[in-house]
Amino acid sequence: QGRGRKPTGQDRKLMPLSPLRDLARLLTRGGLPLGLCGGGRSAWPPQIFGGGGGPRPLATFGKESSTTAEGAVNMARPRAEADEIKVAVGVVGPGLVGKALLEQFRVQLPVLRARRGLDIKICALANSKRMLLSDSGIELSDWKDRFEGSSEASDLVGIKDHLLSCSMPIPVIIDCTASDYVSDYYQQWMESGVHVITPNKKVNSGPLERYNAVKKLQEEKHVHYFYEATVGAGLPVIATIKHLMDTGDHIKSVEGIFSGTLSYIFNNFKSGTKFSDIVKTAKENGFTEPDPRDDLSGTDVARKVTTLARESGVGLELSDIPVESLVPKELESCSSSEEFMQKLPEFDDQMTKLQEEAAAAGEVLRYVGSVDVATGKGTVSLKRYPESHPFAQLNGTDNII
């Protein structure tokens, strides 16, 4: 069992921590990932449960020794080595997540170089319109002005070529977008020897053929593809499942609350409250997408379930996952989010009935994604759980698996 929280509001600054952890895993010696060598285990201790006695949590996760980039790469290299690890990084998508990541880099890169011998340079920035390239590294104190002043058109092949031309042996592209277009370039990047780190869910939940091709490239080209941030709001879920399977364990099932937005909504949906009011509050607090239907449809949870199924050895397509949408059919065709929010109160009685029925039985409603490895099936649905169940103990935007 692990908990994570959807990073919103004042937590925005922590959003890119998982991509930073993935970068740390890439910067290793001897092929051992961070957390399985030396003091890395004590800094990030997964406690794996085993044995019989009925259903048990998959794993629990302790707190990080630090929520900074330094903490994330604390054991990326032995201190005794005098040589520096040189890394050329390209960031695609300097939007909300990308900006937060670049700010973490700005603060921590000098520290990492002094204390850990990690010479990380941001050598490329790109969005859908423009890009900014540098052989020696972009100055992060004023990257926004430099980037906005660049007249060079965006070229995702050009970024790859530029990183390979830099005098640094480790080229890495961090894709901070949610774009299917950008993720189509992963194979080309990896075939050229560029490592990829991303919170983008599109490859892992997109066509199975493309997913398998990317995973195959990891082995054939000896490049890394890290995507811990795609599931679990920062929990080390992907790495834990991989480590369990690599060491001989068999995953029987995976179940969890994977949407911070829907976690918040149902954590607060209790007797005396209205469903539409909670959705409105969530939207006002920045917990939802600009159009709450993107959250209430369950599609995002389905993408995460597809990813977890594949990581657990079940080759599902996104279309194989039955999804219980919380968007009333009558409101699916609303022309705007404003129209949707205006009409949503008309359907409060339906949700109130479900909540009251659950409460009368001593249960709560939770929006859950699950994978049954034995049957090879995944589901996304609204379920009822006893008030004593771990899923009923969450607060705010917590995730749990």
Side-chain angles (χ1 to χ4, degrees):
Q1 172 187 325
R3 292 189 182 183
R5 183 174 55 176
K6 181 173 183 173
T8 54
Q10 65 180 356
D11 298 320
R12 293 290 190 187
K13 63 183 180 180
L14 299 180
M15 291 184 76
L17 189 55
S18 285
L20 214 50
R21 291 192 188 112
D22 281 340
L23 180 59
R25 292 175 61 203
L26 188 151
L27 303 177
T28 57
R29 296 291 189 183
L32 291 176
L34 176 68
L36 292 183
C37 56
R41 177 174 286 275
S42 63
W44 175 31
Q47 301 170 4
I48 308 303
F49 289 92
R56 301 287 298 278
L58 171 70
T60 60
F61 306 97
K63 293 183 178 180
E64 293 285 10
S65 61
S66 171
T67 56
T68 65
E70 180 188 353
V73 295
N74 189 40
M75 293 303 296
R77 70 183 290 276
R79 295 187 184 185
E81 295 185 31
D83 58 306
E84 290 186 330
I85 301 174
K86 297 184 180 295
V87 188
V89 174
V91 176
V92 179
L96 183 64
V97 175
K99 287 178 182 177
L101 178 62
L102 289 169
E103 176 60 17
Q104 285 189 332
F105 275 134
R106 184 191 68 80
V107 173
Q108 287 298 323
L109 290 190
V111 178
L112 296 176
R113 184 169 188 177
R115 297 184 180 180
R116 308 298 172 192
L118 302 177
D119 185 13
I120 302 171
K121 303 288 188 183
I122 309 303
C123 296
L125 295 174
N127 61 15
S128 60
K129 297 180 180 180
R130 63 174 63 90
M131 66 180 181
L132 176 64
L133 308 178
S134 171
D135 293 326
S136 58
I138 298 167
E139 175 54 55
L140 295 181
S141 62
D142 62 349
W143 70 265
K144 292 181 185 179
D145 293 336
R146 293 171 182 265
F147 182 69
E148 291 174 1
S150 174
S151 60
E152 193 164 3
S154 181
D155 180 353
L156 297 182
V157 175
I159 287 177
K160 177 260 297 181
D161 292 339
H162 175 73
L163 293 176
L164 291 171
S165 71
C166 293
S167 56
M168 301 182 189
I170 304 177
V172 182
I173 293 179
I174 303 178
D175 172 21
C176 293
T177 75
S179 167
D180 215 2
Y181 173 79
V182 175
S183 62
D184 276 337
Y185 281 85
Y186 292 3
Q187 288 175 252
Q188 185 177 163
W189 293 341
M190 294 169 68
E191 285 173 350
S192 299
V194 177
H195 307 287
V196 176
I197 296 172
T198 186
N200 189 334
K201 306 177 186 72
K202 296 302 172 63
V203 164
N204 292 357
S205 62
L208 184 60
E209 182 179 0
R210 181 176 64 174
Y211 169 82
N212 288 334
V214 169
K215 299 292 281 187
K216 186 178 180 181
L217 276 174
Q218 285 186 274
E219 300 179 5
E220 292 182 346
K221 298 297 182 178
H222 304 290
V223 293
H224 290 295
Y225 169 53
F226 288 135
Y227 42 89
E228 189 66 71
T230 58
V231 180
L235 291 172
V237 175
I238 299 296
T240 299
I241 290 177
K242 177 176 173 55
H243 294 161
L244 286 170
M245 295 187 68
D246 286 350
T247 53
D249 288 299
H250 299 280
I251 307 297
K252 294 183 177 180
S253 65
V254 182
E255 186 176 50
I257 295 173
F258 302 117
S259 167
T261 301
L262 295 173
S263 179
Y264 174 86
I265 289 172
F266 286 103
N267 288 341
N268 290 278
F269 187 35
K270 302 172 183 178
S271 298
T273 62
K274 293 182 178 180
F275 185 77
S276 61
D277 286 342
I278 298 172
V279 174
K280 180 182 178 182
T281 300
K283 187 175 188 298
E284 291 173 347
N285 288 335
F287 295 154
T288 73
E289 295 297 328
D291 189 336
R293 286 176 293 182
D294 293 340
D295 297 294
L296 297 174
S297 70
T299 301
D300 185 65
V301 177
R303 288 191 178 279
K304 296 171 183 177
V305 168
T306 303
T307 297
L308 292 171
R310 293 175 179 180
E311 293 299 304
S312 301
V314 181
L316 294 180
E317 296 281 6
L318 181 62
S319 59
D320 295 330
I321 311 291
V323 179
E324 180 180 354
S325 174
L326 299 179
V327 179
K329 289 187 178 299
E330 297 86 343
L331 302 186
E332 290 177 353
S333 60
C334 287
S335 60
S336 66
S337 62
E338 290 76 18
E339 181 186 358
F340 170 76
M341 292 301 300
Q342 183 180 5
K343 294 182 177 180
L344 185 59
E346 299 173 11
F347 299 86
D348 277 338
D349 289 346
Q350 297 178 12
M351 296 302 296
T352 297
K353 181 181 178 182
L354 294 175
Q355 189 277 326
E356 290 178 346
E357 290 174 348
E363 297 176 331
V364 298
L365 296 175
R366 293 294 184 264
Y367 197 77
V368 174
S370 61
V371 178
D372 188 324
V373 176
T375 62
K377 295 181 179 180
T379 59
V380 176
S381 61
L382 186 63
K383 295 183 178 182
R384 287 165 47 168
Y385 290 89
E387 294 177 350
S388 60
H389 193 279
F391 288 4
Q393 311 304 314
L394 304 184
N395 296 298
T397 59
D398 281 352
N399 278 209
I400 188 170
I401 181 170

